[in-house]
Amino acid sequence: MSGVFLGMPAFPENAAAAVQDSQLRFNLRRATRTIRGKRAAVAGELPDWAALRDAGKQIKDHTLRNLDRYLLQLEEAVTRAGGRVHWAADAAEANRIVAGLVEATGETSVVKVKSMATQEIGLNEALAERGITAYETDLAELIVQLGDDWPSHILVPAIHRNRSEIREIFRERMGEWGRPAPEGLTDDPRALAEAARLHLRERFLASEVAISGANFMIAETGTLVVLESEGNGRMCLTLPRTLISVVGIEKLLPTWRDLEVFLQLLPRSSTGERMNPYTSTWTGAAEGQEFHLVLLDNGRTAVLADEVGRQALRCIRCSACLNVCPVYERAGGHAYGSVYPGPIGAILTPQLRRSGTVASRDRLPPSATRDLDASLPYASSLCGACFEVCPVAIDIPEVLVHLRAQAPHPRAERLGMRAAGWVFDRPVRLARAQRLGGRLRRFLPRRLPGPLSAWTDTRDIPDIPAESFRDWWGRTGGGTR
Amino acid sequence: MTRSQGSRVPQGSQTSQSSQEVQDSQNSQDSQNSQGSRDRILARIRAAVAGAPEVPVTRSYRHRVPPPAGGTPGEAVELFAERVADYRAVVHVVESARAAEVISGALARRGARRVVVPGGLPEEWARAVGAHPGGEAVPDDPPLSAAELDALDGVVTGCAAGIAETGTIVLDAGPGQGRRALTLVPDYHLCLVRAGQIVPGVPEAIAALDPLRPLTWISGPSATSDIELDRVEGVHGPRTLEVVILR
Ligand code: SF4
């Protein structure tokens, strides 16, 4: 995964640095609170939310259980509809396939729709090595790309930047990439969005090749589905002659009908809207386009082999777990050292990297990757809010505890975890365990051992509060009462 | 913190002939590898899930979203109108007989002169597009280039379905809707929805739509909240969406 900074320290040091950054903290707190309030309102509006969540979980589990069969069905359907399907075992192979397809068109640049899978495999950098420029077109991704920066949130990747920083980035960098920012650009979000519209307009109209990911793929029909807000996705999916979609193999749904569940769960969990502004679906070569689908493994089959960890593959990347996480809110997305920040990143990144097929792993000193991966499962206070809010009911605390037991860690920590395991191994509800923890807290050390200590050092209170986060949430409505 | 550099290359860099040949052999090698990877991925999946229990799917959610209290179709129309307006789109609910008048009024108000009309748009609506002073209905025949579309003032279409609960319009590139670029590149989209096309919820829409057609689900104008979560309407898609619901 190229999603790691060179010489990146492990999570606790990253988090400690982020906690000092008051701009970042202010932006994050405002962002996460706003979105989670909206999410709660629109999820609460549906009387059958719990039933949709159950169905979402079951459909994903059923798909994963029969993934081989459904992938073959998808391949057949896409091929029948005029598309070409490629299989990539790891990041390097996916990058090679995409670069080869772009080169075959004779083009030296591509436009991109925001896609976590292509970030995960470091596609932009791999294309650059072959002389191909990849232009990000999502507003936040544009801000990140122009600022030589790294995304910090799944839904709003540039949330760590404020409006005046964005104005500076646009003024200084847009000209190097294409049409410069307008004279006298202000920091009004409206003006900044307009600058992005103008900067990208000609590029959209002239581009011959686009690269996207997908939120869902339908095995039965071969249909791909992309949800977005700005219309940059539609531009990329519609105008260029050639479309290449790089999609993780877990993004599959068996039937067209299954979308009725996920088109209700995803927008409401993600942006907190009843529906996102634009959803595009297409099957094979639509409207005469040349279409390539690159199916990406890159560690996913290794995650699938882990009975506890495999539930992470249900994730639909809504980012709801980030927005309720007290650790994310303080530490920020960069601390997780991966394109997958927050609670989902803490369980997904170490698992994906473990399989050893991640292309750019060599770019990072092995010891740094090891430290980071070992510390990520500790980037949580196990409060359980992420599980409650997850639209596909991924029990993130359960996976964290499972990964902690597997990660190499010092002896003292192992002892601590054995005690935690004693609690979590039993069929005791997490909430009850947390309340017990609250009552026992005076017997526990004031500081956590191991990787989390750097994080707890920056806070005034120990890890287990008298009242669990969950209880506090229930009592105060997330601090609103 | 700095992301690894090198994602920028000189514009217009050419692939030399000899490296093109290398690429070609690389590509054919890749298709063989891809075949090997296909088998490898499938084998890994089978090994990973061997012995795992089957997971049944229970669908106890609302398959048919009941119309709002009272259950008359008129109330679905009302809910649809309200929810579309929530996205800050302009909404009109009028009698079908007034369609032409509403179209030309909206275009005149907007100052939209040259407006693209997709093939298969009802005659009466298409005529109304050019009816206001200076108005001109531009057909997409032969197909307009993206640059030509960009120079137009707007587009008028019908739709394939409307979803009341979410305030969503779905286009399926059928008659009166045109190919997808038509409702994307011009900055103004006027969309007509017949009351009979409005379904109560997402499940009904999924059941009514054909997945083999390219679909565009539209819920309000293009928007972004990427800058400090301040919502801004209109980035790359049409910045103004006007919806006419025909009773
Ligand atoms: S783990 Fe759940 S809540 Fe978090 S991003 Fe994935 S689907 Fe959303």
Side-chain angles (χ1 to χ4, degrees):
Chain A
M1 198 175 298
S2 75
V4 182
F5 305 106
L6 284 176
M8 161 158 279
F11 181 83
E13 288 92 70
N14 297 340
V19 167
Q20 321 273 294
D21 183 342
S22 57
Q23 177 69 51
L24 176 67
R25 290 191 67 175
F26 176 82
N27 290 357
L28 279 178
R29 186 166 323 133
R30 188 168 159 239
T32 54
R33 284 188 188 184
T34 306
I35 305 181
R36 77 187 179 221
K38 285 170 70 185
R39 189 214 73 91
V42 293
E45 194 179 276
L46 293 186
D48 54 348
W49 185 256
L52 286 165
R53 186 173 182 250
D54 282 347
K57 174 187 183 210
Q58 290 165 354
I59 291 168
K60 281 285 185 180
D61 279 344
H62 168 81
T63 313
L64 291 169
R65 174 65 186 81
N66 300 281
L67 194 56
D68 55 335
R69 180 156 67 82
Y70 286 129
L71 281 171
L72 290 172
Q73 196 186 0
L74 173 81
E75 179 184 48
E76 201 199 311
V78 170
T79 309
R80 205 186 318 125
R84 262 196 69 192
V85 178
H86 312 259
W87 301 67
D90 56 27
E93 188 176 18
N95 289 334
R96 225 171 30 239
I97 292 170
V98 174
L101 291 170
V102 176
E103 278 161 1
T105 66
E107 296 294 319
T108 54
S109 70
V110 299
V111 284
K112 276 188 73 200
V113 193
K114 175 178 157 188
S115 139
M116 308 217 61
T118 59
Q119 286 176 358
E120 174 192 319
I121 63 176
L123 179 65
N124 292 9
E125 290 78 6
L127 290 177
E129 277 166 25
R130 305 249 303 237
I132 300 162
T133 311
Y135 294 103
E136 294 290 349
T137 64
D138 174 79
L139 178 52
E141 293 293 347
L142 177 70
I143 296 166
V144 166
Q145 184 173 43
L146 293 179
D148 268 334
D149 199 353
W150 194 255
S152 65
H153 189 284
I154 292 177
L155 175 70
V156 276
I159 199 60
H160 57 289
R161 296 286 198 185
N162 65 29
R163 59 184 72 194
S164 57
E165 288 177 295
I166 294 168
R167 179 178 64 156
E168 283 320 300
I169 292 170
F170 278 11
R171 285 214 305 215
E172 283 168 23
R173 308 302 294 278
M174 265 185 172
E176 293 169 33
W177 286 79
R179 181 177 173 147
E183 283 297 316
L185 179 66
T186 70
D187 65 2
D188 175 13
R190 217 157 274 282
L192 295 169
E194 169 75 11
R197 177 185 172 96
L198 293 170
H199 177 72
L200 287 172
R201 196 75 183 179
E202 288 153 35
R203 180 149 296 137
F204 282 135
L205 300 184
S207 286
E208 296 287 350
V209 185
I211 296 174
S212 83
N215 295 97
F216 307 102
M217 309 185 280
I218 311 296
E220 168 189 52
T221 58
T223 307
L224 270 76
V225 184
V226 167
L227 282 71
E228 52 137 351
S229 294
E230 295 171 15
N232 63 306
R234 292 178 67 192
M235 288 281 180
C236 293
L237 299 173
T238 310
L239 296 183
R241 261 188 322 186
T242 303
L243 173 62
I244 304 166
S245 299
V246 182
V247 189
I249 50 175
E250 83 284 16
K251 296 272 158 181
L252 207 53
L253 299 175
T255 66
W256 174 246
R257 187 186 172 189
D258 293 326
L259 261 191
E260 72 190 18
V261 174
F262 291 94
L263 286 185
Q264 297 191 72
L265 287 175
L266 181 51
R268 289 176 197 258
S269 298
S270 181
T271 54
E273 295 167 299
R274 296 187 182 108
M275 197 63 91
N276 50 294
Y278 298 133
T279 297
S280 297
T281 77
W282 73 98
T283 303
E287 295 178 346
Q289 224 173 19
E290 179 180 329
F291 174 61
H292 296 271
L293 172 60
V294 181
L295 295 171
L296 178 71
D297 180 348
N298 199 35
R300 285 159 177 77
T301 47
V303 183
L304 188 62
D306 186 320
E307 273 179 45
V308 178
R310 66 167 64 122
Q311 57 185 307
L313 296 177
R314 291 203 297 259
C315 177
I316 55 174
R317 312 276 189 267
C318 72
S319 74
C321 57
L322 276 63
N323 301 330
V324 296
C325 179
V327 177
Y328 174 85
E329 186 181 288
R330 285 166 182 81
H334 290 157
Y336 295 80
S338 145
V339 294
Y340 301 111
I344 182 59
I347 63 170
L348 194 57
T349 305
Q351 293 200 86
L352 283 176
R353 281 204 191 121
R354 198 163 54 181
S355 79
T357 59
V358 177
S360 50
R361 186 170 178 157
D362 296 343
R363 289 193 194 173
L364 190 73
S367 62
T369 311
R370 256 199 318 277
D371 284 355
L372 183 68
D373 288 356
S375 64
L376 279 177
Y378 295 90
S380 166
S381 60
L382 301 178
C383 76
C386 50
F387 170 47
E388 283 181 14
V389 84
C390 177
V392 286
I394 298 172
D395 192 341
I396 293 176
E398 181 189 28
V399 182
L400 286 167
V401 171
H402 174 71
L403 293 177
R404 285 178 188 187
Q406 292 177 349
H409 41 232
R411 203 180 103 77
E413 206 172 87
R414 199 156 52 233
L415 291 174
M417 283 313 115
R418 205 172 288 163
W422 178 83
V423 177
F424 288 104
D425 274 351
R426 294 195 153 46
V428 175
R429 294 224 22 191
L430 180 62
R432 271 175 54 203
Q434 281 180 294
R435 281 182 203 122
L436 181 69
R439 265 177 255 132
L440 290 178
R441 76 193 187 284
R442 64 199 169 92
F443 301 113
L444 294 172
R446 300 286 296 177
R447 284 199 181 148
L448 284 183
L452 200 59
S453 62
W455 182 68
T456 52
D457 278 352
T458 63
R459 307 177 73 207
D460 304 329
I461 50 164
D463 186 41
I464 302 178
E467 183 178 36
S468 79
F469 181 81
R470 231 214 281 240
D471 287 351
W472 170 82
W473 185 276
R475 183 172 60 81
T476 65
T480 56
R481 283 200 288 275
Chain B
M1 297 183 198
T2 313
R3 185 177 186 172
S4 59
Q5 296 271 333
S7 41
R8 203 170 309 119
V9 293
Q11 303 232 346
S13 69
Q14 296 290 321
T15 312
S16 71
Q17 186 55 43
S18 61
S19 78
Q20 183 61 54
E21 280 160 18
V22 174
Q23 291 318 334
D24 286 348
S25 74
Q26 170 109 56
N27 287 348
S28 69
Q29 196 189 326
D30 259 348
S31 60
Q32 285 163 26
N33 287 351
S34 186
Q35 183 61 38
S37 295
R38 177 181 187 268
D39 296 343
R40 210 152 85 234
I41 293 168
L42 291 170
R44 283 188 202 153
I45 292 168
R46 286 171 189 140
V49 300
E54 261 305 330
V55 184
V57 176
T58 46
R59 297 177 193 268
S60 53
Y61 55 86
R62 297 169 302 161
H63 299 192
R64 296 256 161 249
V65 176
T72 68
E75 282 165 19
V77 169
E78 227 166 81
L79 182 66
F80 177 73
E82 183 190 309
R83 299 253 152 124
V84 173
D86 274 355
Y87 298 121
R88 298 190 218 172
V90 183
V91 182
H92 313 261
V93 185
V94 300
E95 300 299 328
S96 301
R98 291 190 50 219
E101 173 196 334
V102 173
I103 291 170
S104 73
L107 294 178
R109 228 180 1 262
R110 165 92 188 168
R113 291 163 166 271
R114 302 189 67 233
V115 173
V116 59
V117 287
L121 196 73
E123 262 306 300
E124 185 206 349
W125 301 358
R127 263 200 314 275
V129 169
H132 61 290
E136 181 193 348
V138 182
D140 184 38
D141 181 24
L144 300 160
S145 70
E148 284 167 331
L149 283 173
D150 194 37
L152 298 178
D153 297 322
V155 59
V156 174
T157 71
C159 71
I163 306 172
E165 192 167 72
T166 60
T168 303
I169 292 158
V170 189
L171 306 185
D172 72 357
Q177 301 164 59
R179 59 202 171 89
R180 294 171 293 172
L182 261 51
T183 52
L184 172 63
V185 180
D187 201 17
Y188 169 75
H189 181 192
L190 179 65
C191 185
L192 290 101
V193 183
R194 296 181 196 279
Q197 294 180 304
I198 298 171
V199 298
V202 173
E204 291 90 338
I206 287 287
L209 292 162
D210 177 0
L212 298 184
R213 307 186 69 91
L215 303 180
T216 306
W217 298 48
I218 299 172
S219 306
S222 148
T224 183
S225 299
D226 280 346
I227 300 165
E228 294 183 13
L229 280 187
D230 251 8
R231 188 179 160 101
V232 175
E233 269 85 32
V235 194
H236 304 296
R239 285 182 282 192
T240 307
L241 173 68
E242 193 157 350
V243 178
V244 181
I245 302 164
L246 301 172
R247 273 199 298 242

